[in-house]
Amino acid sequence: MADVKLLGLCYSPFSHRIEWALKIKGVKYEFIEQDLQNKSPLLLQSNPIYKKVPVLIHNSKPICESVVILEYIDEAFERPSILPKDPYDRAIARFWVKFFEEKGLAMMKSIFLKGEEQEKAKEEVYEMLKILDNELKDKKFFVGDRFGYVDIVANATALWFGVLEEVFGIVLVTRENFPNFCARRDEYYLQNREYLPPKDELLAHYQAYIQRAASK
């Protein structure tokens, strides 16, 4: 039996991407929670360049970066497939994953900004959301006719972003402005709750985090 370990954070969207893929594949694994304020020797040894999670350790060999890990999982373990089999669909999936990695991260960071920086970031977020709202019109999945690679990577946009909006008291996404995106986001959570942390737990986690940061 393969020895599979995942170094991660229980409330990290990037760690949840990997857990999701492993569960889809039916792979048993050991989850090892990390403390990024006091990084473990195993994490530093496994990811000496970036020193961050998630890290998948498969038969004592570490693989880093969540999207790289997802593709590795798809190739290393048996069906069902996560990436599309058709070469064109695979290329389109990788395009949208790159989009989420670049634009989605900027979207998340915008919430933590203030003043003029946040106003400027909001404009970029709105442009991204317009693209997604149009892309999701009359579509259930990003690529093809089933849940896959892009949909897993989109987890932060579908859940974590809305939670952070609530924590910080900021409203960037409304049904009036982005109806397709909001409808797909709600359906996404309802259909995939078994792979995602409960909203109330995620909300409580970030509220506590903000309170700790403010008290320092």
Side-chain angles (χ1 to χ4, degrees), residues 127-174:
E127 289 303 313
M128 174 188 174
L129 289 170
K130 285 179 183 177
I131 292 171
L132 291 177
D133 197 68
N134 183 65
E135 181 66 21
L136 291 168
K137 185 179 181 179
D138 301 323
K139 288 179 66 175
K140 191 173 182 180
F141 307 110
F142 276 96
V143 180
D145 58 359
R146 67 186 184 88
F147 193 92
Y149 186 37
V150 186
D151 306 284
I152 292 175
V153 171
N155 67 343
T157 307
L159 176 58
W160 272 261
F161 184 74
V163 168
L164 290 174
E165 277 187 305
E166 187 170 346
V167 169
F168 284 89
I170 298 170
V171 179
L172 295 176
V173 182
T174 66

Side-chain angles (χ1 to χ4, degrees), residues 39-52:
K39 297 177 182 178
S40 70
L42 181 58
L43 174 59
L44 296 175
Q45 178 185 352
S46 302
N47 191 356
I49 296 177
Y50 294 114
K51 304 177 178 65
K52 64 180 184 179

